[in-house]
Amino acid sequence: QDWEELAAEQIELFRTDMAALRVIPPDDYVGAVESIPLVTALIERLKPSGLVYQVDDPEFPDWYFAYSASPGVGEVSQLDRAAALAIFGERGGDPDRPGKRDALDCLVWRLAREGEPAWNSPLGPGRPGWHIECSAIALHHLGEAFDVQGGGSDLVFPHHEMSAAEASAATGQPFARAYVHGGMVGYDGEKMSKSKGNL
């Protein structure tokens, strides 16, 4: 089964779940795979700012966003550097990656590795980083400034913080006017989530 079919199945499951919960459906169901041209265009748009760079790695010179040098660092999460570093690696970051300018800089394009999904792009075959996907999709479908960004409290940092930094660096204005984050449902002392398998 290819990635496009899998994405279409996931969207249909989401529609069914939302209808069952009587949630008003969104206007657009947008997946990361079909948004790769939006992602690469946003990365290209950021390049002149100097905030996008390739790590010094002869085998995998992946592309990163210089979060730590971007305007408005910490505005969404209100975390200081020590607190941000303490949770960055736990939530998908790679603070110990050699060649990065700063431990808190985030991946925007991972070059292809054997056995991993990859798509052709002007940046080289690979796949987008998590935060830049959401920045690109939101900027395209919601515009350069919108009212509310929301989600679970586990998304405040690094996800919403870094998505906002990338988008703001591209547009020169705040990403969202307000942020709303709900608490996590706990089970046996951990957050309840699909990824933990404790639903």
Side-chain angles (χ1 to χ4, degrees), residues 138-150:
L139 288 173
H140 180 77
H141 289 279
L142 301 175
E144 295 199 347
F146 53 90
D147 292 325
V148 180
Q149 169 96 21

Side-chain angles (χ1 to χ4, degrees), residues 13-35:
L13 283 171
F14 180 74
R15 281 189 174 121
T16 304
D17 291 346
M18 293 298 99
L21 292 170
R22 297 183 182 191
V23 173
I24 297 170
D27 292 336
D28 299 296
Y29 290 89
V30 184
V33 171
E34 58 265 27
S35 300

Side-chain angles (χ1 to χ4, degrees), residues 53-64 97 109 111 113 123:
Y53 66 95
Q54 285 186 278
V55 293
D56 184 15
D57 180 332
E59 188 176 11
F60 298 113
D62 299 323
W63 293 87
Y64 277 80
R97 169 74 193 268
W109 191 259
L111 293 172
R113 268 80 157 166
L123 303 164

